[in-house]
Amino acid sequence: MQIRDLPYPDPGTPDARSGPRFLYWLGRNQLRGQLKSLSWGLLHQLGVAGLPLGAGLAVQAVVDRSGGRLALAGVVIALFGAAITVGDTMLHRAAVTNWITAASRIQQLLSRKTAELGSALTRRVAAGEVVAVSTGDVEKIGWFVEALSRFLAAAIAVVVVCVGLVLYLPSIGAVVAIGVPVLALAVLPLLPRATQRADIQRDKAGRATELAADTVAGLRVLRGIGGEELFLTRYRAASQEVREAAVRSARMWALISAIQVFLPGVLLITVVWYGALLAGDGRISVGELVTVYSAVTLLLFPLRHFEEIAMAYSFSRPSATRAARVLRLERTSYEDERGGLDDTRPTGDLYDPATGMLAPAGQLTAVVCGDPDAAGRLAERLGGHAADEEKLPSVLLGPVALDDLPLDAARASVLVQDKDPVLLSGTLTELLDVPASGAVQPKDALDAAQCDDVLAALVQASVDGSGDPLRSRITERGRSLSGGQRQRLALARSLVADPEVLVLDEPTSAVDSHTEARIAEGVRRLRGGRTTVVFASSPLLLDQADTVVFVHEGKVAATGSHRELLREDSRYQDVVTRRTDAEAETGTGTGTGTGTEIEITSDGGTLMPTPLAAREQLEEIEESA
């Protein structure tokens, strides 16, 4: 694989069971590049290792006053010099190619996983961790992949030099052959502690990154409540923790580097001292002493690669573990005996066997759940995005389990809009340009979502002066808009998509009651004949639903119309009216719904809501009862 061939047509299926397994899979899939880098590395390292032989021949030729052997030594040195030059140049090229292609492969895998999981990714993995994996961790993993072939070349060169010295001059070669493995293995006892400190540093850096991302995302809110300094203080504290952890990690690596300098120095002094004694006794020649001394000196260069690979693995292992944790997130998928289902879009009722929730086809179903977190998890399940730890049966759309559908078919059949939808930067036309049936026009969707004031604000903020709100640009994540405006634009985008089943999680939590009432009517009108599930507790939305499903403690507790459940189920009253436990015990009190205050009295569960429209609504309930 060459850099010009990137991106990969298919980055493959990673072995994400653990960090080391992921690194092994990555190296195995780049075997050709690793072998190429290893070959050039061997040429370079053996060229370096051969220079002492030429130097020894040259010194001995001068001592013996032999011009022919001096010329031969010059040729040998020139050949080894050429090998070093070519090998080093091509090694760098091949190693950097391995680095870039490995990083590109990981980026493609992460992009594919992000597209597969969508917004569910950041609900399963912290946003800071996702950022750390896609930036710094990719670089560290690429470093290990790049350093691996150079280390192998250095290790082979060290073995060749040691064996050659033993054969060339056994008396000193034996000392070198014993000392070099000691040098290479001396730092191994320190590596676990160095790795542990590096892991701590990375964890703290990930938390600091997550805090920074949260601060930037909520900067508008922080400014509104005057909380900027509080979060800046927290980030400063987190940064100091990262700095202290980095210093502790650097101290350990400095100790390892010092050992890597000290011990080779001791070996070099030992070899020179012992070799001088042998040369003084006439047991070896001056040229042989120069050869051995030069060989030991140049051995320090490949030995540096032992320290580098230890550092690279120490830094890349936790990074690979984090990447593997993201990459092993999967949608559950089952295939039948025929080898799977074809890419069809089923229709019918939406049914969740785990809770017993049933949303009839073609109707507007409201789901009331006292626990907002449980409501969010149920909404994810209805879209086929159940968390990995949930071992629950699949949601059914008609007779077909969502887990049995191909991903594209499942996404096209069921669209989930969570309570914090994301708006991508670009024009409003680009925002609404989503895969859709074509049955709903953008103007109709914007009208149903009550976006008139949003369009006016976009025209006012437009810099092109066109006066066309559809050509107005939306800033990153819609930060220039209010929460209610972002929520309504996201709702319009979902309505334009016009899926078979639309699941809305608190779609009007950030708008006022009058706008909410009009949105409820607009959604009901525009989604007529389509299956719509709304997670809400607002009476204004609930009264528009064909069926209201009350989920309590993970199971469906009651089903009926909003008015029926108000009369018959006290637990439903508690959730919808926000009635406290103390008020429920006495049978009186004031509960607060979305934009509606409701007084609860003890005379048969009579509810007297304000404003006037809600009061008249419940008076009708009393008369009909």
Side-chain angles (χ1 to χ4, degrees), residues 231-466:
F231 271 78
L232 284 174
T233 302
R234 292 180 182 176
Y235 183 73
R236 290 191 191 101
S239 298
Q240 290 302 314
E241 291 181 4
V242 174
R243 181 190 63 79
E244 293 172 0
V247 170
R248 286 175 54 83
S249 178
R251 285 173 180 169
M252 183 57 65
W253 287 111
L255 176 60
I256 292 175
S257 297
I259 292 175
Q260 291 282 46
V261 172
F262 174 74
L263 292 182
V266 172
L267 176 62
L268 187 60
I269 292 173
T270 301
V271 169
V272 171
W273 173 75
Y274 184 54
L277 291 179
L278 295 179
D281 294 340
R283 297 166 59 183
I284 62 173
S285 66
V286 176
E288 290 173 333
L289 176 60
V290 171
T291 299
V292 174
Y293 171 77
S294 301
V296 175
T297 302
L298 292 176
L299 269 179
L300 303 184
F301 173 70
L303 282 175
R304 283 290 180 180
H305 291 285
F306 286 76
E307 176 188 354
E308 182 189 12
I309 196 63
M311 292 183 65
Y313 181 74
S314 174
F315 278 79
S316 66
R317 186 183 59 81
S319 296
T321 299
R322 277 201 294 265
R325 186 161 54 243
V326 174
L327 293 174
R328 66 171 167 259
L329 297 175
E330 294 287 349
R331 276 181 86 248
T332 53
S333 178
Y334 306 101
E335 293 184 347
D336 59 16
E337 295 179 357
R338 299 186 305 274
L341 299 173
D342 56 6
D343 189 9
T344 58
R345 299 184 184 180
T347 59
D349 300 339
L350 185 68
Y351 176 66
D352 177 29
T355 60
M357 193 223 75
L358 175 67
Q363 295 188 14
L364 174 60
T365 302
V367 180
V368 177
C369 187
D371 183 357
D373 292 334
R377 291 193 296 270
L378 179 54
E380 288 187 31
R381 280 181 43 73
L382 294 181
H385 300 289
D388 289 346
E389 61 271 14
E390 292 185 5
K391 305 300 182 182
L392 301 175
S394 172
V395 171
L396 302 177
L397 180 55
V400 180
L402 289 183
D403 287 344
D404 286 336
L405 285 174
L407 181 59
D408 293 342
R411 290 279 176 86
S413 298
V414 183
L415 173 63
V416 178
Q417 177 182 305
D418 60 26
K419 64 185 64 177
D420 187 22
V422 175
L423 300 183
L424 302 179
S425 60
T427 65
L428 185 55
T429 299
E430 293 170 341
L431 176 70
L432 300 179
D433 185 16
V434 294
S437 66
V440 178
Q441 298 302 312
K443 182 180 183 304
D444 297 331
L446 291 168
D447 289 341
Q450 298 299 306
C451 293
D452 292 343
D453 64 318
V454 185
L455 300 181
L458 290 175
V459 170
Q460 185 176 3
S462 177
V463 295
D464 61 4
S466 64

Side-chain angles (χ1 to χ4, degrees), residues 129-145:
E129 184 167 349
V130 175
V131 173
V133 170
S134 59
T135 54
D137 287 338
V138 169
E139 182 179 353
K140 293 179 178 65
I141 295 172
W143 176 30
F144 174 75
V145 172

Side-chain angles (χ1 to χ4, degrees), residues 3 46 247 263 318 359 452 474 503 596 617:
I3 294 178
L46 293 179
V247 170
L263 292 182
D452 292 343
I474 299 173
V503 180
T596 306
Q617 173 191 355

Side-chain angles (χ1 to χ4, degrees), residues 169-217:
L169 199 62
S171 54
I172 299 182
V175 176
V176 177
I178 295 173
V180 168
V182 173
L183 296 182
L185 301 177
V187 297
L188 287 182
L190 299 177
L191 288 181
R193 181 172 296 182
T195 301
Q196 182 182 19
R197 292 188 179 185
D199 291 348
I200 293 174
Q201 176 195 350
R202 258 170 277 329
D203 290 340
K204 291 183 179 296
R207 286 195 290 270
T209 303
E210 182 179 355
L211 181 59
D214 291 343
T215 303
V216 172

Side-chain angles (χ1 to χ4, degrees), residues 602-622:
S602 58
D603 56 349
T606 301
L607 305 178
M608 299 177 62
T610 59
L612 180 60
R615 183 184 300 117
E616 292 175 349
Q617 173 191 355
L618 290 181
E619 286 176 354
E620 293 177 2
I621 298 176
E622 291 179 359

